[in-house]
Amino acid sequence: MWAEKTLADETLRHRMQTGNESFDQLVAVILTSGMLVGAVIACFLDNTIPGTDLERGMVSYKQATKGCSDKALVKKIYYEPCMEFFAKKYPVLRKLPFVNN
């Protein structure tokens, strides 16, 4: 949270001037969006800091979904229409841990 707020404050205080006003505004909007900055930082840290599946919670997630006998309920809970569309179109996406199999 601190990084998001600091980046937003610095972006507003020191406006970028590339010569293209539209691009400058786009960068300012992106960098002042706390949710986006937080998501980028989280994604970066999640993929760079080492950890086992147990430490990341993947073991308990897999046990919870395997332990549930009601497969329709599991699909209903973890169904994401956008991801399903792209996963059907590009089956290689199924290898990503956050895409439902």
Coordinates of all heavy atoms in Angstrom, one line a residue:
M1 N 0.8 -1.2 0.0 CA 0.0 0.0 0.0 C 0.9 1.3 0.0 O 0.5 2.2 -0.6 CB -0.9 0.0 1.2 CG -2.1 -1.0 1.1 SD -3.2 -1.2 2.5 CE -3.4 0.5 3.1
W2 N 2.0 1.2 0.7 CA 2.9 2.3 0.8 C 3.4 2.7 -0.6 O 3.5 3.8 -1.0 CB 4.0 2.1 1.8 CG 5.0 3.2 1.8 CD1 4.9 4.3 2.5 CD2 6.2 3.2 1.2 NE1 6.0 5.1 2.3 CE2 6.8 4.4 1.5 CE3 6.9 2.3 0.3 CZ2 8.1 4.8 1.0 CZ3 8.2 2.7 -0.1 CH2 8.7 3.9 0.2
A3 N 3.8 1.6 -1.4 CA 4.4 1.8 -2.7 C 3.4 2.5 -3.6 O 3.7 3.3 -4.5 CB 4.9 0.5 -3.3
E4 N 2.2 2.0 -3.6 CA 1.1 2.5 -4.4 C 0.9 4.0 -4.2 O 0.8 4.8 -5.1 CB -0.2 1.8 -4.2 CG -0.2 0.3 -4.4 CD -1.4 -0.4 -3.9 OE1 -2.4 0.3 -3.6 OE2 -1.3 -1.6 -3.7
K5 N 0.8 4.4 -2.9 CA 0.5 5.8 -2.6 C 1.7 6.7 -2.9 O 1.5 7.8 -3.4 CB 0.2 5.8 -1.1 CG -0.1 7.2 -0.6 CD -1.5 7.7 -1.1 CE -1.8 9.0 -0.5 NZ -2.6 9.8 -1.4
T6 N 2.9 6.2 -2.7 CA 4.1 7.0 -3.0 C 4.2 7.2 -4.5 O 4.5 8.3 -4.9 CB 5.4 6.2 -2.4 OG1 5.2 6.0 -1.0 CG2 6.6 7.0 -2.7
L7 N 4.0 6.1 -5.3 CA 4.1 6.2 -6.7 C 3.1 7.2 -7.2 O 3.4 8.0 -8.1 CB 4.0 4.9 -7.4 CG 4.2 4.8 -8.9 CD1 5.6 5.3 -9.2 CD2 4.0 3.4 -9.4
A8 N 1.9 7.1 -6.7 CA 0.8 8.0 -7.1 C 1.1 9.5 -6.8 O 1.0 10.4 -7.6 CB -0.5 7.6 -6.5
D9 N 1.6 9.7 -5.6 CA 2.0 11.1 -5.2 C 3.1 11.6 -6.0 O 3.1 12.8 -6.5 CB 2.4 11.1 -3.7 CG 1.2 10.9 -2.8 OD1 0.1 11.0 -3.3 OD2 1.4 10.7 -1.6
E10 N 4.1 10.8 -6.3 CA 5.3 11.3 -7.1 C 4.9 11.5 -8.5 O 5.3 12.5 -9.2 CB 6.4 10.3 -7.0 CG 7.1 10.2 -5.7 CD 7.8 11.6 -5.4 OE1 8.4 12.2 -6.2 OE2 7.6 12.0 -4.2
T11 N 4.0 10.7 -9.0 CA 3.5 10.9 -10.4 C 2.7 12.2 -10.5 O 2.9 12.9 -11.5 CB 2.6 9.7 -10.8 OG1 3.3 8.5 -10.8 CG2 2.1 9.9 -12.3
L12 N 1.9 12.5 -9.6 CA 1.2 13.8 -9.6 C 2.1 15.0 -9.4 O 1.8 16.1 -9.9 CB 0.0 13.7 -8.5 CG -1.1 12.8 -8.8 CD1 -2.1 12.7 -7.6 CD2 -1.8 13.1 -10.1
R13 N 3.1 14.8 -8.5 CA 4.0 15.9 -8.2 C 4.9 16.3 -9.4 O 5.2 17.4 -9.7 CB 4.8 15.6 -7.0 CG 5.5 16.8 -6.4 CD 6.2 16.5 -5.1 NE 5.3 15.9 -4.2 CZ 5.6 14.9 -3.3 NH1 6.9 14.5 -3.3 NH2 4.8 14.4 -2.5
H14 N 5.4 15.2 -10.1 CA 6.3 15.4 -11.2 C 5.7 14.8 -12.4 O 5.9 13.7 -12.8 CB 7.7 14.7 -10.9 CG 8.3 15.1 -9.6 ND1 8.9 16.3 -9.4 CD2 8.4 14.4 -8.4 CE1 9.3 16.4 -8.1 NE2 9.0 15.2 -7.5
R15 N 5.0 15.7 -13.1 CA 4.3 15.2 -14.4 C 5.4 14.9 -15.4 O 6.4 15.5 -15.6 CB 3.4 16.3 -14.9 CG 2.2 16.5 -14.2 CD 1.2 15.4 -14.5 NE 0.0 15.6 -13.8 CZ -1.1 14.9 -14.1 NH1 -1.0 14.0 -15.1 NH2 -2.2 15.0 -13.5
M16 N 5.1 13.8 -16.1 CA 5.9 13.3 -17.2 C 5.7 14.2 -18.4 O 4.5 14.5 -18.7 CB 5.5 11.9 -17.5 CG 6.4 11.1 -18.4 SD 5.8 9.4 -18.5 CE 7.2 8.6 -19.1
Q17 N 6.7 14.6 -19.2 CA 6.6 15.4 -20.4 C 7.4 14.8 -21.5 O 8.6 15.0 -21.6 CB 7.0 16.8 -20.1 CG 6.1 17.5 -19.1 CD 6.5 19.0 -18.9 OE1 7.5 19.4 -19.4 NE2 5.7 19.7 -18.1
T18 N 6.7 14.0 -22.3 CA 7.4 13.3 -23.4 C 7.2 14.0 -24.7 O 7.8 13.7 -25.7 CB 6.8 11.9 -23.6 OG1 5.4 11.9 -23.9 CG2 7.1 11.0 -22.3
G19 N 6.3 15.0 -24.7 CA 6.0 15.7 -26.0 C 4.7 15.3 -26.5 O 4.1 15.9 -27.4
N20 N 4.2 14.2 -26.0 CA 2.9 13.7 -26.5 C 1.9 13.7 -25.3 O 2.0 12.9 -24.4 CB 3.0 12.2 -27.0 CG 1.7 11.7 -27.6 OD1 0.6 12.2 -27.3 ND2 1.9 10.6 -28.3
E21 N 1.0 14.7 -25.3 CA 0.2 15.0 -24.2 C -0.8 13.8 -23.8 O -1.0 13.4 -22.7 CB -0.7 16.2 -24.4 CG -1.5 16.7 -23.2 CD -2.2 18.0 -23.5 OE1 -1.7 18.8 -24.3 OE2 -3.3 18.1 -22.9
S22 N -1.2 13.1 -24.9 CA -2.1 11.9 -24.7 C -1.3 10.8 -23.9 O -1.9 10.2 -23.0 CB -2.6 11.4 -26.0 OG -3.5 12.4 -26.6
F23 N -0.1 10.5 -24.4 CA 0.7 9.5 -23.7 C 1.0 9.9 -22.3 O 1.0 9.0 -21.4 CB 2.0 9.3 -24.5 CG 2.8 8.2 -23.9 CD1 2.5 6.9 -24.0 CD2 4.0 8.5 -23.2 CE1 3.3 5.9 -23.5 CE2 4.8 7.6 -22.7 CZ 4.5 6.2 -22.8
D24 N 1.3 11.1 -22.1 CA 1.6 11.6 -20.7 C 0.4 11.4 -19.8 O 0.6 11.0 -18.6 CB 2.0 13.1 -20.7 CG 3.3 13.4 -21.5 OD1 4.0 12.4 -21.7 OD2 3.5 14.6 -21.8
Q25 N -0.8 11.7 -20.3 CA -2.0 11.5 -19.5 C -2.2 10.0 -19.2 O -2.6 9.7 -18.1 CB -3.2 12.2 -20.2 CG -4.4 12.1 -19.4 CD -5.6 12.8 -20.1 OE1 -5.5 13.2 -21.2 NE2 -6.7 13.0 -19.4
L26 N -2.0 9.2 -20.2 CA -2.2 7.8 -20.1 C -1.3 7.2 -19.0 O -1.8 6.5 -18.1 CB -2.0 7.0 -21.4 CG -2.0 5.5 -21.4 CD1 -3.5 5.1 -21.1 CD2 -1.5 4.9 -22.6
V27 N 0.0 7.6 -19.0 CA 0.9 7.1 -18.0 C 0.5 7.6 -16.7 O 0.6 6.9 -15.7 CB 2.4 7.5 -18.4 CG1 3.3 7.2 -17.3 CG2 2.8 6.8 -19.7
A28 N 0.1 8.8 -16.6 CA -0.3 9.4 -15.3 C -1.5 8.7 -14.7 O -1.5 8.3 -13.5 CB -0.6 10.9 -15.4
V29 N -2.5 8.3 -15.5 CA -3.7 7.6 -15.1 C -3.3 6.2 -14.6 O -3.7 5.7 -13.5 CB -4.7 7.6 -16.2 CG1 -5.8 6.6 -15.8 CG2 -5.3 8.9 -16.4
I30 N -2.4 5.5 -15.4 CA -2.0 4.2 -15.0 C -1.2 4.2 -13.7 O -1.5 3.4 -12.8 CB -1.2 3.6 -16.1 CG1 -2.1 3.2 -17.3 CG2 -0.5 2.3 -15.6 CD1 -1.4 2.8 -18.6
L31 N -0.3 5.1 -13.5 CA 0.6 5.1 -12.3 C -0.2 5.6 -11.1 O 0.3 5.4 -10.0 CB 1.8 5.9 -12.6 CG 2.8 5.3 -13.6 CD1 4.0 6.2 -13.8 CD2 3.2 3.9 -13.2
T32 N -1.2 6.4 -11.3 CA -2.0 6.8 -10.1 C -3.1 5.9 -9.7 O -3.8 6.1 -8.7 CB -2.5 8.3 -10.3 OG1 -3.4 8.3 -11.5 CG2 -1.4 9.3 -10.5
S33 N -3.3 4.9 -10.5 CA -4.3 3.8 -10.1 C -3.7 2.9 -9.1 O -2.9 2.0 -9.5 CB -4.8 3.1 -11.4 OG -5.6 2.0 -11.1
G34 N -4.1 3.0 -7.9 CA -3.6 2.2 -6.8 C -3.8 0.7 -7.0 O -2.9 -0.1 -6.8
M35 N -5.0 0.3 -7.5 CA -5.2 -1.1 -7.7 C -4.3 -1.7 -8.8 O -3.8 -2.8 -8.6 CB -6.7 -1.3 -8.1 CG -7.7 -1.1 -7.0 SD -9.4 -1.3 -7.5 CE -9.4 -3.0 -7.9
L36 N -4.1 -1.0 -9.9 CA -3.2 -1.5 -10.9 C -1.8 -1.6 -10.5 O -1.1 -2.6 -10.7 CB -3.3 -0.6 -12.2 CG -2.5 -1.1 -13.4 CD1 -3.0 -2.4 -13.9 CD2 -2.5 -0.1 -14.5
V37 N -1.3 -0.6 -9.8 CA 0.1 -0.6 -9.3 C 0.2 -1.7 -8.3 O 1.2 -2.5 -8.4 CB 0.4 0.8 -8.7 CG1 1.8 0.7 -8.0 CG2 0.4 1.9 -9.7
G38 N -0.7 -1.9 -7.4 CA -0.7 -3.0 -6.5 C -0.7 -4.4 -7.1 O 0.0 -5.3 -6.7
A39 N -1.5 -4.5 -8.2 CA -1.6 -5.8 -8.9 C -0.3 -6.1 -9.6 O 0.2 -7.2 -9.6 CB -2.7 -5.8 -9.9
V40 N 0.4 -5.1 -10.2 CA 1.6 -5.3 -10.9 C 2.7 -5.7 -9.9 O 3.5 -6.6 -10.1 CB 2.0 -4.0 -11.7 CG1 3.5 -4.1 -12.2 CG2 1.1 -3.8 -12.8
I41 N 2.7 -5.0 -8.7 CA 3.7 -5.3 -7.7 C 3.5 -6.7 -7.2 O 4.5 -7.5 -7.0 CB 3.7 -4.2 -6.6 CG1 4.2 -2.9 -7.1 CG2 4.5 -4.7 -5.4 CD1 4.0 -1.8 -6.1
A42 N 2.2 -7.1 -6.9 CA 1.9 -8.4 -6.4 C 2.3 -9.5 -7.4 O 2.9 -10.5 -7.0 CB 0.4 -8.5 -6.1
C43 N 2.0 -9.3 -8.7 CA 2.4 -10.2 -9.7 C 3.9 -10.4 -9.8 O 4.4 -11.5 -9.9 CB 1.8 -9.8 -11.1 SG 2.1 -11.0 -12.4
F44 N 4.6 -9.3 -9.7 CA 6.1 -9.3 -9.8 C 6.6 -10.1 -8.6 O 7.5 -11.0 -8.8 CB 6.7 -7.9 -9.8 CG 8.1 -7.8 -9.7 CD1 8.9 -8.1 -10.8 CD2 8.8 -7.5 -8.5 CE1 10.3 -8.1 -10.7 CE2 10.1 -7.5 -8.4 CZ 10.9 -7.8 -9.5
L45 N 6.2 -9.8 -7.4 CA 6.7 -10.4 -6.2 C 6.3 -11.9 -6.2 O 7.1 -12.7 -5.8 CB 6.2 -9.7 -5.0 CG 6.7 -8.3 -4.7 CD1 6.1 -7.7 -3.5 CD2 8.2 -8.3 -4.6
D46 N 5.1 -12.2 -6.7 CA 4.7 -13.6 -6.7 C 5.5 -14.5 -7.6 O 5.7 -15.6 -7.3 CB 3.2 -13.7 -7.1 CG 2.6 -15.1 -6.9 OD1 2.9 -15.6 -5.8 OD2 1.9 -15.5 -7.7
N47 N 6.0 -13.9 -8.6 CA 6.8 -14.6 -9.6 C 8.3 -14.6 -9.4 O 9.1 -15.3 -10.0 CB 6.5 -14.2 -11.0 CG 5.1 -14.6 -11.4 OD1 4.8 -15.8 -11.4 ND2 4.2 -13.7 -11.8
T48 N 8.8 -13.7 -8.5 CA 10.2 -13.6 -8.2 C 10.6 -14.1 -6.9 O 11.8 -14.6 -6.8 CB 10.7 -12.1 -8.3 OG1 9.9 -11.3 -7.4 CG2 10.5 -11.6 -9.8
I49 N 9.8 -14.1 -5.9 CA 10.2 -14.6 -4.6 C 9.9 -16.1 -4.5 O 8.8 -16.5 -4.8 CB 9.4 -13.9 -3.5 CG1 9.8 -12.4 -3.4 CG2 9.6 -14.5 -2.1 CD1 9.0 -11.6 -2.5
P50 N 10.9 -16.9 -4.2 CA 10.8 -18.3 -4.2 C 9.8 -18.8 -3.1 O 9.7 -18.2 -2.0 CB 12.2 -18.8 -3.9 CG 12.9 -17.7 -3.2 CD 12.3 -16.5 -3.7
G51 N 9.1 -19.9 -3.3 CA 8.2 -20.4 -2.3 C 7.7 -21.8 -2.9 O 7.6 -22.0 -4.1
T52 N 7.4 -22.7 -1.9 CA 6.9 -24.0 -2.3 C 5.4 -23.8 -2.6 O 4.7 -22.8 -2.2 CB 7.1 -25.0 -1.2 OG1 6.4 -24.6 0.0 CG2 8.6 -25.1 -0.9
D53 N 4.8 -24.9 -3.1 CA 3.3 -24.9 -3.3 C 2.6 -24.8 -2.0 O 1.5 -24.2 -1.9 CB 2.9 -26.1 -4.1 CG 3.2 -26.0 -5.6 OD1 3.5 -24.9 -6.1 OD2 3.0 -27.0 -6.3
L54 N 3.2 -25.4 -1.0 CA 2.5 -25.4 0.3 C 2.5 -24.0 0.9 O 1.5 -23.5 1.4 CB 3.3 -26.3 1.3 CG 2.7 -26.4 2.7 CD1 1.3 -27.0 2.7 CD2 3.6 -27.3 3.6
E55 N 3.6 -23.3 0.8 CA 3.7 -21.9 1.3 C 2.8 -21.0 0.5 O 2.3 -20.0 1.1 CB 5.2 -21.4 1.2 CG 6.1 -22.1 2.1 CD 7.6 -21.8 1.8 OE1 7.9 -21.4 0.6 OE2 8.4 -21.9 2.7
R56 N 2.6 -21.2 -0.8 CA 1.7 -20.4 -1.6 C 0.3 -20.7 -1.5 O -0.6 -20.0 -2.0 CB 2.2 -20.4 -3.0 CG 3.5 -19.8 -3.3 CD 4.0 -20.0 -4.7 NE 5.3 -19.4 -4.9 CZ 5.5 -18.2 -5.4 NH1 4.5 -17.5 -5.7 NH2 6.7 -17.8 -5.5
G57 N -0.1 -21.8 -0.8 CA -1.5 -22.2 -0.6 C -2.0 -23.0 -1.7 O -3.2 -23.3 -1.7
M58 N -1.2 -23.5 -2.6 CA -1.7 -24.2 -3.8 C -2.1 -25.7 -3.3 O -3.0 -26.3 -3.9 CB -0.6 -24.3 -4.9 CG -0.3 -23.0 -5.5 SD -1.8 -22.2 -6.2 CE -2.2 -23.2 -7.5
V59 N -1.4 -26.2 -2.3 CA -1.7 -27.6 -1.8 C -3.1 -27.6 -1.3 O -3.9 -28.5 -1.6 CB -0.6 -28.0 -0.8 CG1 -1.0 -29.4 -0.2 CG2 0.7 -28.1 -1.5
S60 N -3.4 -26.7 -0.4 CA -4.7 -26.7 0.2 C -5.8 -26.4 -0.8 O -6.9 -26.9 -0.7 CB -4.8 -25.6 1.4 OG -4.5 -24.3 0.9
Y61 N -5.5 -25.5 -1.8 CA -6.5 -25.2 -2.9 C -6.8 -26.5 -3.6 O -7.9 -26.8 -3.9 CB -5.9 -24.2 -3.8 CG -6.7 -24.0 -5.1 CD1 -7.9 -23.4 -5.2 CD2 -6.1 -24.6 -6.3 CE1 -8.6 -23.3 -6.4 CE2 -6.8 -24.5 -7.5 CZ -8.0 -23.9 -7.5 OH -8.7 -23.8 -8.7
K62 N -5.7 -27.3 -4.0 CA -5.9 -28.5 -4.8 C -6.7 -29.6 -4.0 O -7.5 -30.3 -4.5 CB -4.6 -29.0 -5.3 CG -4.0 -28.2 -6.4 CD -2.7 -28.7 -6.8 CE -2.1 -27.8 -7.9 NZ -0.7 -28.1 -8.3
Q63 N -6.4 -29.6 -2.7 CA -7.1 -30.6 -1.8 C -8.5 -30.2 -1.6 O -9.4 -31.1 -1.6 CB -6.4 -30.6 -0.4 CG -5.1 -31.4 -0.4 CD -4.4 -31.3 0.9 OE1 -4.8 -30.6 1.8 NE2 -3.4 -32.1 1.1
A64 N -8.8 -28.9 -1.5 CA -10.2 -28.5 -1.4 C -11.0 -28.8 -2.6 O -12.2 -29.2 -2.5 CB -10.2 -27.0 -1.1
T65 N -10.4 -28.6 -3.8 CA -11.2 -28.8 -5.0 C -11.3 -30.3 -5.3 O -12.3 -30.8 -5.8 CB -10.6 -28.1 -6.2 OG1 -9.2 -28.5 -6.4 CG2 -10.7 -26.6 -6.1
K66 N -10.3 -31.1 -4.9 CA -10.4 -32.6 -5.1 C -11.3 -33.2 -4.1 O -12.0 -34.2 -4.4 CB -9.0 -33.2 -5.1 CG -8.2 -33.0 -6.3 CD -6.8 -33.7 -6.2 CE -6.0 -33.4 -7.4 NZ -4.6 -33.9 -7.3
G67 N -11.3 -32.7 -2.9 CA -12.2 -33.2 -1.8 C -13.6 -33.0 -2.0 O -14.5 -33.7 -1.4
C68 N -14.0 -32.1 -2.8 CA -15.4 -31.8 -3.0 C -16.0 -32.7 -4.1 O -15.5 -32.8 -5.2 CB -15.6 -30.3 -3.5 SG -17.3 -29.9 -3.7
S69 N -17.0 -33.5 -3.7 CA -17.6 -34.5 -4.6 C -18.5 -33.8 -5.6 O -18.8 -34.4 -6.7 CB -18.3 -35.6 -3.9 OG -19.3 -35.0 -3.1
D70 N -19.0 -32.6 -5.3 CA -19.9 -31.9 -6.2 C -19.1 -31.1 -7.2 O -18.8 -30.0 -7.0 CB -20.9 -31.1 -5.4 CG -22.0 -30.5 -6.2 OD1 -22.0 -30.7 -7.4 OD2 -22.8 -29.7 -5.7
K71 N -18.8 -31.7 -8.4 CA -18.0 -31.1 -9.4 C -18.7 -29.9 -10.0 O -18.1 -28.9 -10.4 CB -17.6 -32.0 -10.5 CG -16.7 -33.2 -10.0 CD -15.4 -32.7 -9.4 CE -14.6 -33.8 -8.8 NZ -13.5 -33.4 -8.1
A72 N -20.0 -29.9 -10.0 CA -20.8 -28.8 -10.6 C -20.7 -27.6 -9.7 O -20.5 -26.4 -10.2 CB -22.3 -29.1 -10.7
L73 N -20.6 -27.8 -8.4 CA -20.4 -26.7 -7.4 C -19.0 -26.1 -7.6 O -18.9 -24.9 -7.6 CB -20.6 -27.2 -6.0 CG -20.4 -26.1 -4.9 CD1 -21.4 -25.0 -5.0 CD2 -20.5 -26.8 -3.5
V74 N -18.0 -26.9 -7.7 CA -16.7 -26.4 -7.9 C -16.6 -25.6 -9.1 O -16.0 -24.5 -9.2 CB -15.6 -27.6 -7.9 CG1 -14.3 -27.1 -8.3 CG2 -15.6 -28.3 -6.6
K75 N -17.2 -26.1 -10.2 CA -17.1 -25.3 -11.5 C -17.9 -24.0 -11.3 O -17.4 -23.0 -11.9 CB -17.7 -26.2 -12.6 CG -17.6 -25.5 -14.0 CD -18.0 -26.4 -15.1 CE -18.0 -25.7 -16.4 NZ -16.8 -25.8 -17.2
K76 N -19.0 -24.0 -10.6 CA -19.7 -22.8 -10.4 C -19.0 -21.8 -9.6 O -19.0 -20.6 -9.9 CB -21.1 -23.1 -9.7 CG -22.0 -21.9 -9.5 CD -23.3 -22.4 -8.9 CE -24.2 -21.2 -8.6 NZ -25.4 -21.6 -7.9
I77 N -18.2 -22.2 -8.6 CA -17.5 -21.3 -7.7 C -16.3 -20.7 -8.5 O -16.0 -19.5 -8.4 CB -17.0 -22.1 -6.5 CG1 -18.2 -22.4 -5.6 CG2 -16.0 -21.2 -5.7 CD1 -17.8 -23.3 -4.4
Y78 N -15.6 -21.6 -9.2 CA -14.3 -21.1 -9.9 C -14.5 -20.8 -11.3 O -13.5 -20.6 -12.0 CB -13.2 -22.2 -9.7 CG -12.8 -22.4 -8.3 CD1 -13.2 -23.5 -7.5 CD2 -12.1 -21.4 -7.6 CE1 -12.8 -23.6 -6.2 CE2 -11.7 -21.5 -6.3 CZ -12.1 -22.6 -5.6 OH -11.7 -22.8 -4.3
Y79 N -15.7 -20.7 -11.8 CA -15.9 -20.4 -13.2 C -15.7 -18.9 -13.5 O -16.2 -18.1 -12.8 CB -17.4 -20.8 -13.6 CG -17.7 -20.5 -15.1 CD1 -17.2 -21.4 -16.1 CD2 -18.5 -19.5 -15.5 CE1 -17.4 -21.1 -17.4 CE2 -18.7 -19.2 -16.8 CZ -18.2 -20.1 -17.8 OH -18.5 -19.8 -19.1
E80 N -14.9 -18.7 -14.5 CA -14.6 -17.3 -14.9 C -14.8 -17.2 -16.4 O -14.0 -17.8 -17.2 CB -13.2 -16.9 -14.6 CG -13.0 -15.5 -14.6 CD -11.7 -15.1 -13.9 OE1 -11.3 -15.7 -13.0 OE2 -11.1 -14.1 -14.4
P81 N -15.9 -16.6 -16.9 CA -16.3 -16.6 -18.3 C -15.2 -16.2 -19.3 O -14.9 -16.8 -20.3 CB -17.5 -15.7 -18.4 CG -18.0 -15.6 -17.1 CD -16.8 -15.8 -16.1
C82 N -14.5 -15.1 -18.9 CA -13.4 -14.6 -19.8 C -12.3 -15.6 -20.0 O -11.8 -15.8 -21.1 CB -12.9 -13.2 -19.3 SG -11.8 -12.4 -20.3
M83 N -11.8 -16.1 -18.8 CA -10.7 -17.1 -18.9 C -11.2 -18.3 -19.6 O -10.4 -18.9 -20.4 CB -10.3 -17.5 -17.5 CG -9.2 -16.6 -16.9 SD -7.8 -16.6 -17.9 CE -6.8 -15.5 -17.0
E84 N -12.4 -18.8 -19.4 CA -12.9 -20.0 -20.1 C -12.9 -19.8 -21.6 O -12.5 -20.7 -22.3 CB -14.3 -20.3 -19.6 CG -14.3 -21.0 -18.3 CD -13.6 -22.3 -18.2 OE1 -13.8 -23.1 -19.2 OE2 -12.9 -22.5 -17.3
F85 N -13.3 -18.6 -22.0 CA -13.3 -18.3 -23.5 C -11.9 -18.5 -24.1 O -11.7 -19.1 -25.1 CB -13.8 -16.9 -23.7 CG -13.7 -16.5 -25.1 CD1 -14.6 -16.9 -26.1 CD2 -12.7 -15.6 -25.5 CE1 -14.4 -16.5 -27.4 CE2 -12.6 -15.2 -26.8 CZ -13.4 -15.6 -27.8
F86 N -10.9 -17.8 -23.4 CA -9.6 -17.8 -23.9 C -8.9 -19.2 -23.8 O -8.1 -19.6 -24.6 CB -8.7 -16.7 -23.3 CG -9.0 -15.4 -23.8 CD1 -9.7 -14.5 -23.1 CD2 -8.7 -15.0 -25.1 CE1 -10.0 -13.2 -23.6 CE2 -9.0 -13.8 -25.7 CZ -9.6 -12.9 -24.9
A87 N -9.3 -19.9 -22.7 CA -8.7 -21.2 -22.4 C -9.2 -22.3 -23.5 O -8.5 -23.1 -23.9 CB -9.0 -21.7 -21.0
K88 N -10.4 -22.1 -23.9 CA -10.9 -23.0 -24.9 C -10.3 -22.7 -26.3 O -10.0 -23.5 -27.1 CB -12.5 -22.8 -25.1 CG -13.2 -23.5 -23.9 CD -14.7 -23.3 -24.1 CE -15.4 -23.9 -22.9 NZ -16.8 -23.6 -22.9
K89 N -10.0 -21.4 -26.5 CA -9.4 -21.0 -27.8 C -8.0 -21.3 -27.8 O -7.4 -21.7 -28.9 CB -9.6 -19.4 -27.9 CG -9.4 -18.9 -29.3 CD -9.9 -17.5 -29.4 CE -9.7 -17.0 -30.9 NZ -10.3 -15.7 -31.1
Y90 N -7.3 -21.2 -26.7 CA -5.8 -21.4 -26.6 C -5.6 -22.4 -25.4 O -5.4 -22.0 -24.3 CB -5.0 -20.1 -26.3 CG -5.3 -19.0 -27.3 CD1 -6.1 -18.0 -27.0 CD2 -4.8 -19.1 -28.6 CE1 -6.4 -17.0 -27.9 CE2 -5.0 -18.1 -29.5 CZ -5.8 -17.0 -29.2 OH -6.1 -16.1 -30.1
P91 N -5.6 -23.7 -25.7 CA -5.5 -24.7 -24.6 C -4.2 -24.6 -23.8 O -4.2 -25.1 -22.7 CB -5.6 -26.1 -25.4 CG -6.2 -25.7 -26.7 CD -5.9 -24.3 -27.0
V92 N -3.2 -24.0 -24.3 CA -1.9 -23.9 -23.6 C -2.1 -23.1 -22.3 O -1.4 -23.2 -21.3 CB -0.8 -23.3 -24.5 CG1 -1.0 -21.9 -24.8 CG2 0.6 -23.6 -23.9
L93 N -3.2 -22.2 -22.3 CA -3.4 -21.4 -21.1 C -3.8 -22.3 -19.9 O -3.7 -21.8 -18.7 CB -4.5 -20.4 -21.4 CG -4.2 -19.3 -22.3 CD1 -5.4 -18.4 -22.6 CD2 -3.0 -18.5 -21.8
R94 N -4.3 -23.5 -20.1 CA -4.7 -24.4 -19.0 C -3.5 -24.8 -18.1 O -3.6 -25.2 -17.0 CB -5.3 -25.7 -19.6 CG -6.5 -25.5 -20.3 CD -7.7 -25.5 -19.4 NE -8.9 -25.4 -20.2 CZ -10.0 -24.9 -19.8 NH1 -10.0 -24.4 -18.5 NH2 -11.1 -24.8 -20.5
K95 N -2.3 -24.6 -18.6 CA -1.1 -24.8 -17.8 C -0.8 -23.8 -16.8 O 0.0 -24.0 -15.8 CB 0.2 -25.0 -18.7 CG 0.0 -26.1 -19.7 CD 1.3 -26.4 -20.4 CE 1.2 -27.5 -21.4 NZ 1.1 -28.8 -20.9
L96 N -1.4 -22.6 -16.9 CA -1.3 -21.6 -15.9 C -2.0 -22.0 -14.6 O -3.1 -22.5 -14.7 CB -1.8 -20.2 -16.4 CG -1.1 -19.6 -17.6 CD1 -1.8 -18.4 -18.1 CD2 0.3 -19.3 -17.2
P97 N -1.4 -21.7 -13.4 CA -2.1 -22.2 -12.2 C -3.4 -21.5 -11.8 O -4.2 -22.1 -11.1 CB -1.0 -21.9 -11.1 CG -0.2 -20.8 -11.7 CD -0.2 -21.0 -13.2
F98 N -3.7 -20.4 -12.4 CA -4.9 -19.7 -12.0 C -6.0 -19.9 -13.0 O -7.1 -19.4 -12.9 CB -4.7 -18.2 -11.9 CG -4.1 -17.5 -13.0 CD1 -4.8 -17.1 -14.1 CD2 -2.7 -17.4 -13.1 CE1 -4.2 -16.5 -15.2 CE2 -2.1 -16.7 -14.2 CZ -2.9 -16.3 -15.2
V99 N -5.8 -20.8 -14.0 CA -6.8 -21.1 -15.0 C -7.4 -22.5 -14.6 O -6.7 -23.4 -14.4 CB -6.3 -21.2 -16.4 CG1 -7.4 -21.6 -17.4 CG2 -5.7 -19.8 -16.8
N100 N -8.7 -22.5 -14.4 CA -9.4 -23.7 -14.0 C -9.3 -24.8 -15.1 O -9.5 -24.6 -16.2 CB -10.9 -23.4 -13.7 CG -11.6 -24.5 -13.0 OD1 -10.9 -25.4 -12.4 ND2 -12.9 -24.4 -12.9
N101 N -9.0 -26.0 -14.6 CA -8.9 -27.2 -15.6 C -10.3 -27.7 -15.8 O -10.9 -28.5 -15.4 CB -7.9 -28.2 -15.1 CG -6.5 -27.7 -15.2 OD1 -6.2 -26.9 -16.1 ND2 -5.7 -28.1 -14.3

